Amino acid sequence: MMLRAALIASACLVALGSAEASTRAEACAKKPQSEWMKIEAAEAKAKEAGYQVSKSKISGACYEVYATKDSRRFELFYNPENVQLVETVAK
């Protein structure tokens, strides 16, 4: 019975993660990559907000910036069309 409860809880967490990613994707780019701003613009936005950027990458239709602030790690998701912050995930 405990194993079944654990499996159900795990499935719920996976579904929740998928829903968050889906919502994030909806808030990100709709245009082709050729019309996106440069990823350095997202990094600059994070630095302006006081983050120390370690790396960045394209994640689906978003820019994902890995950064630290106040000794905490974060993943920052930006819309690459206008470099507006879409989501912040503390790690």
Side-chain angles (χ1 to χ4, degrees):
M1 191 62 154
M2 291 292 284
L3 178 60
R4 183 172 184 223
L7 289 173
I8 291 171
S10 294
C12 289
L13 288 175
V14 168
L16 179 61
S18 298
E20 287 178 5
S22 174
T23 301
R24 182 183 318 129
E26 291 170 9
C28 282
K30 308 279 187 273
K31 297 178 182 176
Q33 282 188 2
S34 61
E35 297 182 36
W36 291 5
M37 296 178 73
K38 295 192 179 296
I39 199 165
E40 291 82 9
E43 293 173 356
K45 205 67 161 220
K47 290 175 184 176
E48 287 172 16
Y51 292 93
Q52 293 179 318
V53 174
S54 58
K55 73 176 189 174
S56 58
K57 68 177 188 174
I58 295 173
S59 178
C62 296
Y63 285 148
E64 183 174 2
V65 177
Y66 296 89
T68 57
K69 184 176 186 179
D70 301 327
S71 301
R72 295 185 61 207
R73 295 181 326 168
F74 295 90
E75 292 177 4
L76 309 169
F77 295 88
Y78 290 91
N79 180 324
E81 295 173 3
N82 56 19
V83 289
Q84 293 299 308
L85 184 62
V86 172
E87 183 179 6
T88 302
V89 178
K91 291 293 180 177

